Amino acid sequence: MVLTTASGNNRLTSCAIIHHLLKNTRDIPDHLVKELVTALENTRSCQPEVYVGQVYDSCVYRVGCGDIYTETKLVFATPDVRNKFANAFEAACCNSGFTVHRSY
């Protein structure tokens, strides 16, 4: 499934929103926040695609920026926490001008 949203928002501001979301999620360590934001910023100009996926019946959420083969594995406290984060993250990415592929 592919999610896209046409957005007139300033993409820099939108990436700041994604950074804020990542930073305020207690299950994501600071080094992964920095890694994901840097990857999103690097792919925004050339290939603004984000690949995401949830491992069924687990707390794992995978994110790949620009390339399906370079993924970051996020582990949350519960599947519910993961699902809430996933919904907010995918919406923020769409609003930032990224194409979100649910592919993992």
Side-chain angles (χ1 to χ4, degrees):
M1 175 180 281
V2 177
L3 305 173
T4 58
T5 299
S7 176
N9 294 342
N10 180 336
R11 288 186 179 184
L12 183 58
T13 302
S14 296
C15 279
I17 292 168
I18 295 170
H19 179 265
H20 181 73
L21 172 67
L22 292 166
K23 189 77 173 157
N24 288 319
T25 303
R26 69 179 178 152
D27 293 325
I28 303 175
D30 288 341
H31 72 278
L32 286 181
V33 170
K34 184 176 180 180
E35 179 182 312
L36 281 170
V37 170
T38 299
L40 286 167
E41 289 173 347
N42 289 340
T43 61
R44 184 177 49 190
S45 61
C46 60
Q47 188 177 1
E49 297 180 322
V50 177
Y51 299 88
V52 297
Q54 303 174 13
V55 176
Y56 179 73
D57 204 24
S58 79
C59 301
V60 174
Y61 185 68
R62 299 183 191 280
V63 178
C65 300
D67 182 358
I68 195 168
Y69 301 109
T70 56
E71 71 177 50
T72 300
K73 178 181 170 183
L74 305 176
V75 180
F76 293 89
T78 67
D80 287 338
V81 171
R82 180 212 50 203
N83 292 343
K84 288 177 186 176
F85 172 81
N87 290 335
F89 180 76
E90 292 169 19
C93 286
C94 286
N95 289 333
S96 298
F98 290 96
T99 301
V100 176
H101 301 274
R102 292 182 179 158
S103 59
Y104 291 114

